[in-house]
Amino acid sequence: MKQMKRIRTFSALTILSFPFLMQAQGFQVNLQGQAQQAMGGAGTALMQDGSAVFFNPGGMSFLNENSILAGATATIANATFLDADNNSSAKTVSPVSTPFAAYGVYGTKDGKLKNFKFGMGAYTPFGSIVTWEPGWTGRFALTSLKLLAIFYQPTVSYKICEKLGVGAGFVLANGNVELKEDINVIDANGNYGSADLKGAATGYGYNAGIYYKPCPKFSVGLTYRSQVNMKVSNGTATLTVPTSLATNIPSGPFSSSLSLPSVLTLGFSDSLTSKLILALDINYIGWKCYDTLAFDYKNNTPQFQDTKLPRDYKNTFAFRLGGQYQVTDKFIARAGLSVELTPIESGYVTPELPDANRLNFTLGAGYKINKHFVIDASYTYEHFSRTDNNTALQLNGTYKTYLSAPGLSLIYKF
């Protein structure tokens, strides 16, 4: 029965940590704009399109045209696990997930509001599907996970003068997740028990930025995406166990709360020539706020108690560098790379998305169809591995992860 208590405790840990902690370096999804994705994720000081709603509200007022943007990225992730204790191996069989982003920006060219731009963004910084093959060695920690989270951000930007702009947006976050795992008990027919956990959460925050262009060829951006406190008030755990254990390990609701860390970004953009532009972003993610995760279960029993679990994440950095080259009047080529340092200390790596320090490579292009329509495409590739011993989950081994993410967006300018 003690073993059962441990298994349920860490199931709840998984369902809550994965959807809302992806914004951390360990689970960060940088898929909010195809032009920026193709440039290693750099976009704080280079105003490309309506995705300025996300990348820098302060620079949104410097966009020359009103626009509507819609895009999606096909995220194809494959992971393997080599168990150091028994030399067994396992792999994921996950379907493709498609995080999306949509933005609209509008402003007048004259009148009292000519220095204002108004924008709206809806994007999925959290979105993933993870499924491990049946019977794998970590099935008591995770068998499958489905996640969708959407951020809505109304935004306003003001151009103070020809060199300086400021802006801010309110963020409403909504998320849904379903997690499944096996439970280490066997019924009369020799079948393992199972758990199906579902939860929804909401949170609020803001995104603010400053954009400074001291000369035509050089610009600087500074943004702050606030901490978002996510609350799960009506999560449901459906546990399938032998009848003799059902009273001690009951299904029922649970609640919890945790904080999505703040992100401070300093960005630079430099036009080296009339055709070549370089951009650099430096992210500082305030992950230290995630040191403990607590759960309140409604149906407590002596074997199934509320829990408070240490996580001990650390603050960390990411560095994003990219460039774009105007090949012709209609065609732009882009490339970039990023270095992302993990916040996860040794002993805390889990199978939802095993994390390590990452080096990502990106490519992309933009094509101007006519004066109104532009197509942007991007491609991201990353490969990382990490050996870790998570004693709480009894998983000791090496994870290897490969991720391929082609994306496409369409922009309408008016």
Side-chain angles (χ1 to χ4, degrees):
M1 199 62 65
K2 291 182 179 179
Q3 186 180 28
M4 176 63 69
K5 176 182 174 182
R6 179 184 59 77
I7 293 171
R8 295 290 349 116
T9 295
F10 282 91
S11 295
L13 169 63
T14 305
I15 190 173
L16 291 176
S17 67
F18 188 80
F20 311 123
L21 305 184
M22 286 181 65
Q23 188 70 14
Q25 201 60 40
F27 299 95
Q28 195 167 19
V29 178
N30 295 292
L31 303 175
Q32 283 74 51
Q34 299 300 330
Q36 295 81 3
Q37 287 169 224
M39 298 175 63
T44 301
L46 180 60
M47 298 301 99
Q48 300 270 32
D49 48 48
S51 59
V53 169
F54 171 83
F55 284 96
N56 190 343
M60 194 175 75
S61 57
F62 279 74
L63 295 174
N64 295 323
E65 299 171 294
N66 300 323
S67 65
I68 297 172
L69 181 155
T73 302
T75 305
I76 307 161
N78 298 291
T80 61
F81 177 73
L82 177 61
D83 195 312
D85 295 327
N86 57 29
N87 289 324
S88 66
S89 63
K91 63 182 180 180
T92 58
V93 288
S94 307
V96 177
S97 60
T98 53
F100 71 87
Y103 306 98
V105 174
Y106 178 79
T108 61
K109 294 183 179 180
D110 50 34
K112 294 181 179 179
L113 298 178
K114 66 179 181 180
N115 289 333
F116 284 91
K117 287 279 189 180
F118 303 92
M120 180 67 191
Y123 47 91
T124 53
F126 316 137
S128 185
I129 301 174
V130 179
T131 304
W132 286 89
E133 61 184 352
W136 83 291
T137 188
R139 62 188 181 274
F140 303 123
L142 179 73
T143 57
S144 70
L145 177 72
K146 296 180 181 179
L147 167 70
L148 174 64
I150 303 175
F151 276 25
Y152 302 95
Q153 184 188 317
T155 305
V156 62
S157 182
Y158 179 64
K159 191 175 185 179
I160 297 174
C161 63
E162 292 303 312
K163 295 182 178 182
L164 182 65
V166 295
F170 169 77
V171 171
L172 168 64
N174 286 312
N176 291 281
V177 65
E178 180 177 9
L179 174 144
K180 295 181 180 180
E181 65 175 24
D182 290 343
I183 299 177
N184 196 13
V185 294
I186 301 176
D187 63 19
N189 297 319
N191 299 316
Y192 281 108
S194 64
D196 187 345
L197 292 88
K198 296 181 180 179
T202 57
Y204 307 94
Y206 64 89
N207 182 5
I210 300 172
Y211 179 78
Y212 180 54
K213 195 175 182 68
C215 63
K217 294 185 177 182
F218 182 77
S219 58
V220 182
L222 181 67
T223 63
Y224 181 77
R225 292 194 289 276
S226 75
Q227 179 175 305
V228 177
N229 296 317
M230 305 298 294
K231 293 185 177 181
V232 178
S233 56
N234 246 337
T236 301
T238 302
L239 311 181
T240 302
V241 296
T243 304
S244 60
L245 297 174
T247 301
N248 293 325
I249 310 297
S251 298
F254 64 87
S255 62
S256 185
S257 64
L258 59 123
S259 297
L260 178 68
S262 61
V263 180
L264 178 67
T265 303
L266 177 64
F268 305 92
S269 174
D270 193 356
S271 299
L272 299 182
T273 71
S274 60
K275 294 185 176 182
L276 177 62
I277 301 175
L278 294 182
L280 171 68
D281 276 14
I282 303 171
N283 305 137
Y284 179 71
I285 303 97
W287 248 121
K288 198 172 182 179
C289 68
Y290 185 44
D291 60 353
T292 305
L293 188 59
F295 310 94
D296 182 1
Y297 303 99
K298 184 176 182 180
N299 299 331
N300 292 135
T301 70
Q303 292 78 25
F304 191 51
Q305 297 291 313
D306 297 338
T307 57
K308 191 174 183 180
L309 305 171
R311 295 303 282 164
D312 198 28
Y313 276 32
K314 61 183 179 181
N315 296 343
T316 190
F317 285 91
F319 306 89
R320 311 183 187 282
L321 176 66
Q324 68 176 30
Y325 185 78
Q326 189 80 44
V327 181
T328 69
D329 290 341
K330 291 181 175 292
F331 183 75
I332 295 176
R334 300 183 175 104
L337 58 85
S338 63
V339 177
E340 304 174 355
L341 306 180
T342 180
I344 302 177
E345 302 278 13
S346 296
Y348 291 97
V349 177
T350 58
E352 297 84 55
L353 186 61
D355 191 50
N357 295 333
R358 307 182 186 189
L359 176 61
N360 304 328
F361 300 93
T362 63
L363 291 170
Y367 182 73
K368 183 178 180 180
I369 301 173
N370 54 41
K371 67 178 183 179
H372 292 299
F373 289 98
V374 176
I375 293 178
D376 283 319
S378 71
Y379 178 75
T380 300
Y381 175 80
E382 64 180 50
H383 167 222
F384 56 93
S385 65
R386 182 164 181 177
T387 300
D388 195 66
N389 183 14
N390 190 319
T391 56
L393 296 179
Q394 297 181 0
L395 286 175
N396 177 23
T398 299
Y399 295 93
K400 293 184 178 181
T401 302
Y402 300 84
L403 185 141
S404 180
L408 192 68
S409 68
L410 178 64
I411 304 172
Y412 173 67
K413 297 182 178 182
F414 60 97

